[in-house]
Each structure stands twice: as C-alpha cells, then as structure tokens.
Amino acid sequence: MNTLFAKDCLETDSIQYVLDEERPRKIDKNTIFAVFSESPHSGKFCGLVTLQEVSKHPDWIFADLCNRSSNIFVTPETPIEQSLAMLDINGQDLLPVIEDDRFTGVITRSGIFERIVNRKQHLLKESHTSLEQIEEEHQQLLSWSNRLEELHDRSRDLLACLATISAEPEVKFQGIKALAKIVQCHSASVQLIDNNYSITDKTGIGFTEEQLSVFHQCLSLHKNILPNKPQLLNELCAECQEGQHNLSSVLLVPIRRDAHTFGYILLSEKLSGQQFDKNDELFALSFAHTLSLALDNAQKLEQVEKARHDLDYLAYFDALTGLPNRSLLTDRLQQAVKLAAQKKLSQALLFIDLDDFKRVNDSLGHLVGDELLSAVAKRLPESLSKNDTLTRFAGDEFVVLMTYINEPVDAANIAENIISSFHAPFIIDEHEVYVSISIGIAFFNDGIESVDQALSDADNALRHAKALGKNQYHFFSDDMNSSVQNHFELENRLRRAIVDNELELYYQPKIDIVTGDTVGFEALLRWHSVEHGDISPSIFIPIAEKSGLIVSIGEWVIDKACEQAKQWLDSGFPAHISVNLSARQFLHTGKPNKLFELIEASLDRYQLPAEYLEVEITENLMMHHLNESFAILEKLKNIGVKIFIDDFGTGYSSLSYIKKFPIHALKIDKSFIDDLVNDENDAAIVTAIIAMAKQLKLEVVVEGVETEEQLAFFKDNDYEVVLQGYYFCAPLPANEIRYIYE
C-alpha cells in the first residue's frame, strides 16, 4: 500500500478562525479554533484550542488558552505513521498542519483512522475488480489461441488484398523488416529489377553496400539462368562461396506474377546459425507473392495514369504544335471572366490568322504546311510574356489571351512585334517560306465579361484586318483603333520633335511672398507640332514616359535649362531654373550615375554655377528607390544643385526618411490649393506641411496659386513661402520672360 501523508487526511470544515485577544463565546461541540494574531486569515498562527480547553477555562481569552497548548505541528508531507506517533507521544487528539509557515488545517486521530479504513476498503474493492478482469482477459486469450491457426491462413489472403493498394517504399521496408523477424535472420532486402535485369530499387536491412554490390554483379552475370523458385545464392553462383563477403548462405526468393519477375528477396544469416528450411521459404514466398500483387497493381495503375494523361493531353492540347487547344482556351477564358469579376483587370484577346496559308498547302504540300504551323507555334511565344496564353484555335488560326494588361496600346505593341517577327522567312525542308499574318484585337477595360462575346469580337476585328489588306492588326472598336493609331502617330512624331525643333521650354516665375521678388523659374516643356499644332503636356508626356522617349527628352531639357540660365546670368539677369526629373530618367537603364554625369556635364559645358540649377523629383520616386535616390541626390547637393520634392502630400512618404534626405524644399501640390479657401481639410494639410517644413528647416514652394483669396490665405497667416501660379504669371517663352523683368 502506498504511504499516506498528512495532506491526505487534512480537515478544514470544522475549523473556526479567531483572534488571540478574543474571548470564547457560543461554541459548537465539534468546533476547533485556529487562533491568529492581528488578522484571522493572514495573521501569525498562534495555535489550536479545543472545546475541552474552553470548558476548563471559560473566562480566559484565546491567547491564554493557546499558551496551555503545545507548539507541535506537522507539514503536509509528513507520513501518517509519523503523525500518529507524534499524537501518541504528546497525548494529543489533533495536530495543526503548517506549510511554508502558514496554517492549512488539522489532522485528527479519528480522521486518520477513518482515512486508513476507507483506503483499505477501496483497495480491496479494486483487487476484486482486477481479479475479475484478469480472468476475463485469460478467457479471451484462450479464445484467440483457438482461432490463431484459422487467422493465419486468412491473414495471408487479407495481406494480398491490402497489397493491391500500395507498393510505397515505407510499405516495402516494413514488410521486409517483418519477414526478417519471422524467419529470424540478420539481413533481408528487396531488390527490384527492370527488363534488362538492372537494379531499379532496393530496400532492406542488415546487408552492407559491399555485399549488395557483389550480389548485383552476380545478378548481371547470371541474368539468363536466374531461378523461378527459392534457391541459395552459392548454388547459382560459384563466385559467392564462403569468403570475405559471406554470401554463401544467402537465400534468393523470386518476386513473380504471371511469368514476370519483378525482382528478388534476399535473406541471410539466420540468428540460430542453421540453414533456411522449407517453412522459411514458404514465409518468404508468401511475402513475395503479396509484394508481386502490389507491384503488378502499381504497374497497371501507372499504365492507367499514363493513358489518362494522354487522353487529357489530347483533350486540351494540340497534337501538331503542342500548344493548348480550343478547349483549354475556353477554360482559361472562363477563368478570365471570374478574375475580371473579382479584380476588374483590363484584358485582351488577339485572334491571329496566317495570310494565304492555303497557297502554301497547295504549292508545297500539306506536310510542309504542317511543318510551317509547328514553326509558327515556336516563333509566336518570342513576342509574348509568360502570363499570356497562346493557343492553336483551329487550322492556321491562333489566339492569345492577355490577362494582365494596362491599356490598348500595350496590346497593339504586342501585335506589332508579332507582325514584325514574321518578316523573317521560315526554313521548311530547305524551302524559304514567307508568310504574313493578320491580327484582330478585342480589348476589355474591366475584364472579359463573356467567353463567346470575347471570341466573337476578336474574330470580327480579324476580319476587318483582312479586309484592309492583311499583314496588319485591327481593334474591334473603331474608336479604340483610332485612339491607338493616334497614339503611335504621336509617338513617332515625338521621336522627331527634337530634331525638327518643335520642343520648347517655357518658364513660370516663383515669387517670394515676403519680399515680392522673383526667386526662380520652373522650366515647363511645350510641344508645337507642325502637323497637330500645340499638344498638351498631359497628352505627350505620358507617351514619352511609356515609350522611353522621356530619357532623351529629359537630357534635352536639362541641357536647354542650363544654357538659358547661363545666358540670363551673363546678361545680368541671374535666375534659378528648376527642371522636373521622371522615374525613367532618374533610373535610366539601371545606371543612376548616368543622370548625375549628365547634369554635371551640362553645368560644365555652359560654365553655369550649380546653384542656378534646381531639380524636382516626386516623393513617390524618392521613396520607391530609396538607395538610388539618396546616392544621386547626395552627389547633386555636394556640387551645389538644389533638390525640391514635387507634388508633396499626394504620394506615400516617410518623415523619418525625408529628414535624412539632402533636400532643400517641399513643393505643395496644386490639388491642395484649388479648394484651399473653402475646404478646411485642405487648409489643415497645407498648414501642417508648412509647419513641418519649418521645423526641418526646409523651404516651401506652393504651386497653383490662381486667385486673390488663395494669396490672402498665405499672407493673412504670415507664412514665409514661395508662390507659383497663373495669379502671378503663366508659363512664358524665355524671350518674353526677359522682356517682363527688364
């Protein structure tokens, strides 16, 4: 019986907590008083008082009664035997239990005896239950013993059934491990072979790599006479006698089904030292049979999966070109419809058809025609992105689904690239075959809404392209077609604008609100086209950005601004000129230093002091290219060029970075000024930016000032800022600016 402790017999229900200075009042005969000083629960424990002590001295206070009691106590971990001894020695019926200097209860002689009796009764009851369970389990074991022989035969059938489900490595390993245990051998292995008797898979325990290597050599050497029933390896191979590899007692058991040998089971070194007997061979053959079922089933499943894969391939891919076919295109289009509903992405469908393909078939034959289609299928992806889906729709028709696209001009660029790629001939069986293509484009601003409608629109656009003379593309929408053509026409004209001297810089003054003086000018690009007249920057700047022309145009702007500033300076009109830098120009071809070198070269060319050139960059450009931005701006600042943050407040910025950047001024965007007088939020934002700039010791330039009321806002609040806008002066050519300030 396990030892009982004081904590097992602890009593607390009959204890009343009292103060030492109190006098006993009405008492219950079963009550035990636990006496404390200062507080009945958290005070110092003074001792116990029983009814017997109160009866002897009814007029004493609890403190006096406690003094008559002994200070003997036990802990919760005091064994019951020791507790009873302490009760007997001191002639007590109860003792306090103290844990960590705190009173937790009492143990009594009667309580201990009651707990011991209950414990013995409980153990006796458990022993009876255990005996009944033992007897019941014994009967069950006898029943199972009688059924073992029957289960042995049935388990083999069950294993064979289960084996058809899996032939995974873990299953083979557990099986060979179990077989080694049954036949009581040290080493066991499964060796699977292919039709050439080369080992394709091996699983097992006990054999060394050197031993297995000898077996593999033996297997290859005697592949024409390998046994169809269990046989000792040394009976098959004279080289495997008793020797350094100890393979003379290896039992070779074939894994066969339907006259096909999947491999062999190797068993070696019986723990008893005896040779393998017939029972061992029967166990091994039983496992080999089970394993052969699994392997045969796995082989058939593999054949089924291959056939299914071939069917799937035929169902969704074109056999001639290997491209997705119409069925897979339909599936992708349905996904595009769902994607459009979720994200409202722009998407496009390009319907491509070879011009006069029938002529190729008629003149060179259908085999050459098929070869040409295969070659076209290989050339088309060169003009597409990895997100585009290229399919062979039918015959000589191909369709491209562009799921991620920004605007119609992007689809037009792809179409032009595809058409250009067909200028080179195809070499088919020593024939140079030239073929052109026509493309119909259906563009969807908010994504494809209907599969049938998308295909119909693209097909109709293709018909238009064919009708217009082939070897070109056409949009389904005439308006879109016209818009794209205008875009390309403007882009081509813009490429010649510099050469044709159509670009010009206009200058808008910046006014110091405190002094009223002009402290600088912003250079603004204007295009006076001979064919189209004045073209708004809002139209041609995005085209320049997208096409990359902004880089060469930006170089021209910097050079012209430096030249103009130098002319004004030499004529006694010192003027600071600021130019805007675009993201493409800022990070041209991944070489940020190119911009710095360009600016430095222009300053040197005209011998212009750097303080007369200012550059403006947007906060988005700065924040999205932190490392490059900081490096370039730091270099520009070091040579004296001032840096302005343009459109401040409209993008994402981090004040922790702005305070570290080498910038001189913040330029508040016009969008906050337009409704400044009437919108409290705009006024609050402008006020906050000015206050922040003041704390950072940065200048503030306010653009877009157009009314007296807007000017009054800054004057009335005594803001020391620089203003720019049509209220003071519209952007003007350099000669008119000079005329105004003379």
Side-chain angles (χ1 to χ4, degrees):
M1 182 179 72
N2 293 335
T3 302
L4 285 173
F5 297 94
K7 62 183 179 183
D8 299 315
C9 305
L10 195 66
E11 296 181 24
T12 57
D13 293 341
S14 60
I15 299 173
Q16 181 175 334
Y17 290 67
V18 297
L19 287 171
D20 55 352
E21 60 186 13
E22 293 178 356
R23 185 187 302 277
R25 304 289 184 186
K26 181 180 179 181
I27 58 176
D28 186 283
K29 64 180 181 178
N30 295 321
T31 300
I32 300 169
F33 298 94
V35 183
F36 297 84
S37 62
E38 297 179 358
S39 170
H41 288 285
S42 59
K44 180 181 178 182
F45 174 69
C46 299
L48 297 176
V49 175
T50 62
L51 173 63
Q52 182 180 10
E53 292 166 331
V54 172
S55 300
K56 289 181 179 179
H57 308 282
D59 296 329
W60 288 11
I61 63 174
F62 281 113
D64 295 331
L65 293 172
C66 282
N67 290 333
R68 295 178 54 83
S69 304
S70 62
N71 292 326
I72 300 171
F73 65 89
V74 296
T75 69
E77 303 302 325
T78 302
I80 285 302
E81 296 82 358
Q82 183 179 341
S83 301
L84 284 172
M86 293 175 67
L87 287 169
D88 291 336
I89 292 171
N90 295 279
Q92 300 287 335
D93 290 321
L94 72 163
L95 286 174
V97 180
I98 305 297
E99 182 178 15
D100 296 332
D101 296 327
R102 295 187 61 83
F103 173 79
T104 60
V106 301
I107 56 170
T108 64
R109 190 187 303 273
S110 60
I112 291 173
F113 289 153
E114 181 180 358
R115 182 70 180 87
I116 292 174
V117 170
N118 290 341
R119 177 92 177 251
K120 288 184 176 180
Q121 289 177 344
H122 176 72
L123 291 175
L124 185 61
K125 184 178 180 180
E126 284 188 341
S127 67
H128 285 305
T129 302
S130 298
L131 287 173
E132 291 174 359
Q133 290 177 346
I134 291 171
E135 180 62 23
E136 183 180 349
E137 290 172 1
H138 178 65
Q139 293 299 325
Q140 288 179 349
L141 287 173
L142 288 176
S143 175
W144 279 108
S145 177
N146 295 332
R147 296 177 60 191
L148 263 179
E149 186 173 348
E150 178 186 358
L151 287 174
H152 174 71
D153 294 331
R154 291 188 178 182
S155 65
R156 290 169 62 185
D157 295 335
L158 178 61
L159 281 172
C161 178
L162 293 175
T164 62
I165 299 173
S166 174
E168 296 299 318
E170 182 62 25
V171 176
K172 293 200 293 288
F173 177 76
Q174 293 299 333
I176 197 68
K177 186 177 178 182
L179 178 62
K181 191 171 183 180
I182 290 172
V183 301
Q184 293 292 294
C185 70
H186 178 270
S187 306
S189 178
V190 171
Q191 306 281 311
L192 302 183
I193 59 176
D194 58 18
N195 293 331
N196 296 320
Y197 291 88
S198 297
I199 303 296
T200 60
D201 181 71
K202 56 183 179 181
T203 306
I205 56 173
F207 285 109
T208 66
E209 287 296 325
E210 192 174 17
Q211 289 174 323
L212 290 176
S213 177
V214 172
F215 166 71
H216 295 165
Q217 294 173 11
C218 176
L219 189 66
S220 299
L221 186 64
H222 301 89
K223 61 183 180 182
N224 295 325
I225 57 171
L226 289 174
N228 295 329
K229 59 182 181 180
Q231 183 177 349
L232 289 173
L233 188 59
N234 65 325
E235 295 175 1
L236 173 71
C237 180
E239 288 82 356
C240 293
Q241 299 295 336
E242 190 79 33
Q244 59 176 335
H245 303 302
N246 193 24
L247 293 178
S248 61
S249 62
V250 173
L251 181 66
L252 197 64
V253 182
I255 306 171
R256 290 176 55 82
R257 181 163 181 77
D258 297 334
H260 176 70
T261 301
F262 291 97
Y264 289 87
I265 294 173
L266 302 177
L267 300 175
S268 178
E269 300 179 56
K270 287 205 60 150
L271 300 180
S272 64
Q274 300 174 347
Q275 294 292 320
F276 291 101
D277 57 24
K278 287 296 181 183
N279 286 331
D280 297 328
E281 293 182 7
L282 286 175
F283 275 119
L285 280 172
S286 177
F287 177 70
H289 175 68
T290 301
L291 188 55
S292 71
L293 287 174
L295 293 169
D296 185 58
N297 183 64
Q299 190 178 70
K300 289 176 180 176
L301 284 175
E302 185 177 345
Q303 293 171 351
V304 170
E305 285 298 319
K306 184 179 183 304
R308 183 179 300 166
H309 178 270
D310 292 343
L311 287 173
D312 289 342
Y313 184 86
L314 291 174
Y316 291 105
F317 289 87
D318 176 56
L320 176 63
T321 64
L323 293 176
N325 60 16
R326 184 187 297 205
S327 297
L328 186 54
L329 173 64
T330 302
D331 181 68
R332 296 285 173 83
L333 282 170
Q334 290 171 346
Q335 294 178 31
V337 171
K338 294 179 181 178
L339 187 65
Q342 295 171 355
K343 299 186 177 180
K344 295 295 181 184
L345 296 173
S346 295
Q347 297 166 317
L349 206 62
L350 276 60
F351 216 120
I352 304 171
D353 183 74
L354 273 64
D355 297 329
D356 301 321
F357 178 67
K358 184 175 182 300
R359 176 178 55 82
V360 176
N361 274 338
D362 292 344
S363 60
L364 300 177
H366 288 279
L367 290 178
V368 173
D370 287 347
E371 289 291 330
L372 175 60
L373 290 174
S374 297
V376 168
K378 294 176 182 177
R379 184 175 292 186
L380 284 173
E382 296 173 1
S383 302
L384 305 175
S385 75
K386 63 180 181 180
N387 293 322
D388 300 331
T389 300
L390 170 64
T391 62
R392 185 188 179 197
F393 193 71
D396 62 333
E397 295 176 333
F398 298 84
V399 174
V400 177
L401 170 62
M402 304 176 70
T403 307
Y404 297 93
I405 190 170
N406 295 321
E407 50 187 304
V409 69
D410 295 329
N413 279 324
I414 296 297
E416 282 203 340
N417 291 339
I418 293 174
I419 291 172
S420 297
S421 72
F422 276 69
H423 292 165
F426 293 90
I427 308 301
I428 310 293
D429 292 341
E430 299 182 355
H431 296 285
E432 276 195 355
V433 181
Y434 287 88
V435 63
S436 63
I437 59 172
S438 299
I439 303 176
I441 306 174
F443 181 84
F444 306 89
N445 288 311
D446 294 326
I448 294 172
E449 296 182 359
S450 165
V451 172
D452 293 337
Q453 190 63 48
L455 289 170
S456 176
D457 291 351
D459 188 30
N460 286 331
L462 174 64
R463 294 176 187 275
H464 280 288
K466 292 277 191 182
L468 292 171
K470 304 177 182 178
N471 193 30
Q472 60 183 292
Y473 66 87
H474 196 278
F475 279 86
F476 171 72
S477 165
D478 288 337
D479 291 341
M480 193 173 293
N481 205 64
S482 176
S483 174
V484 170
Q485 295 307 316
N486 289 337
H487 175 98
F488 282 126
E489 185 179 348
L490 281 173
E491 181 182 323
N492 290 333
R493 188 66 195 137
L494 186 56
R495 291 181 186 277
R496 293 189 53 82
I498 297 177
V499 178
D500 294 344
N501 201 30
E502 293 182 350
L503 295 181
E504 184 179 4
L505 287 183
Y506 275 38
Y507 300 90
Q508 188 173 41
K510 301 177 183 179
I511 312 299
D512 188 320
I513 194 174
V514 177
T515 64
D517 295 335
T518 298
V519 294
F521 297 87
E522 179 180 2
L524 299 168
L525 188 62
R526 295 294 183 264
W527 182 14
H528 307 290
S529 172
V530 175
E531 296 181 10
H532 302 283
D534 290 343
I535 300 175
S536 171
S538 63
I539 295 176
F540 74 81
I541 292 296
I543 293 176
E545 286 275 6
K546 190 169 187 62
S547 64
L549 289 172
I550 196 67
V551 175
S552 58
I553 292 175
E555 293 177 2
W556 179 87
V557 169
I558 292 171
D559 189 74
K560 285 296 180 184
C562 289
E563 182 183 21
Q564 186 61 64
K566 177 60 172 175
Q567 289 178 3
W568 281 343
L569 182 61
D570 290 345
S571 64
F573 181 59
H576 299 81
I577 297 179
S578 63
V579 295
N580 292 279
L581 300 180
S582 73
R584 280 215 174 189
Q585 184 182 8
F586 203 77
L587 300 172
H588 177 44
T589 66
K591 299 177 181 178
N593 283 328
K594 184 180 177 74
L595 176 61
F596 172 76
E597 293 167 0
L598 170 70
I599 293 175
E600 190 175 41
S602 292
L603 293 172
D604 290 343
R605 183 180 303 114
Y606 299 107
Q607 292 298 297
L608 176 69
E611 63 185 275
Y612 289 99
L613 179 67
E614 301 167 347
V615 295
E616 297 184 9
I617 65 170
T618 64
E619 58 181 330
N620 278 337
L621 189 157
M622 182 181 71
M623 296 308 299
H624 291 164
H625 305 281
L626 281 174
N627 294 333
E628 299 93 333
S629 301
F630 189 88
I632 300 173
L633 298 181
E634 186 71 24
K635 287 184 177 181
L636 290 174
K637 178 186 177 183
N638 289 339
I639 65 173
V641 176
K642 287 189 175 182
I643 296 100
F644 289 61
I645 301 300
D646 196 13
D647 300 337
F648 188 78
T650 60
Y652 168 80
S653 61
S654 170
L655 300 183
S656 64
Y657 282 110
I658 288 178
K659 71 177 184 179
K660 296 177 183 178
F661 266 76
I663 58 179
H664 298 83
L666 303 178
K667 195 169 184 181
I668 300 177
D669 188 69
K670 182 178 182 297
S671 61
F672 296 116
I673 308 303
D674 289 340
D675 204 24
L676 176 70
V677 178
N678 302 315
D679 192 321
E680 293 182 355
N681 291 330
D682 283 345
I685 291 172
V686 170
T687 299
I689 293 174
I690 293 173
M692 179 195 69
K694 185 176 181 180
Q695 290 297 319
L696 295 174
K697 295 181 174 54
L698 299 176
E699 299 175 17
V700 174
V701 179
V702 181
E703 64 179 358
V705 177
E706 299 179 351
T707 67
E708 182 72 34
E709 291 79 10
Q710 292 170 347
L711 174 62
F713 172 84
F714 295 100
K715 284 188 174 182
D716 293 344
N717 287 287
D718 294 327
Y719 290 145
E720 298 179 0
V721 295
V722 173
L723 303 180
Q724 175 185 345
Y726 278 77
Y727 177 80
F728 303 100
C729 184
L732 296 172
N735 58 342
E736 294 186 29
I737 287 289
R738 187 72 181 90
Y739 174 78
I740 291 175
Y741 287 92
E742 283 182 345

